[in-house]
């Protein structure tokens, strides 16, 4: 293997810094939302199972996961950096003349 001097040195660069973090189709903050949904479903299942029974706990966990996934998908379709969109006609009047 040939020796490289300082001017010929090659460095690998990570070029993915301008893209949002993605894991299994979830982007950015929605990864955290999915983790919270899973945690609430698991802890809620254990709590409801201890208080009532298996069937009710299973229903609670299923409903929690379905609602969480639905909210994540609806929010993610609006965009990662979505903002409120005010609908209507707004008139801004000047208080003072220039």
């Amino acid at each position: 293997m040939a020796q490289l001097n300082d001017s010929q040195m090659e460095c690998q660069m990570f070029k993915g810094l301008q893209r949002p973090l993605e894991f299994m189709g979830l982007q950015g903050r929605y990864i955290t939302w999915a983790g919270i949904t899973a945690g609430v479903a698991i802890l809620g299942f254990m709590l409801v199972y201890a208080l009532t029974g298996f069937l009710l706990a299973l229903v609670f966990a299923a409903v929690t996961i379905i609602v969480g996934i639905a909210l994540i998908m609806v929010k993610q379709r609006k965009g990662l950096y979505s903002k409120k969109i005010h609908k209507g006609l707004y008139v801004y009047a000047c208080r003072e003349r220039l």
Side-chain angles (χ1 to χ4, degrees), residues 18-36:
Q18 299 300 318
R19 303 180 82 197
L21 179 65
E22 185 172 341
F23 177 71
M24 295 177 60
L26 299 173
Q27 294 180 343
R29 64 181 171 191
Y30 302 113
I31 296 170
T32 306
W33 285 29
I36 291 170

Side-chain angles (χ1 to χ4, degrees), residues 5 9 19 27 32 35 44 46 50 54 57 61 66 71 75 83 88 97:
N5 59 19
M9 184 178 281
R19 303 180 82 197
Q27 294 180 343
T32 306
M46 291 188 301
F54 178 75
I66 290 170
L71 285 174
K75 291 280 192 178
K83 295 185 179 188
R97 297 232 178 226

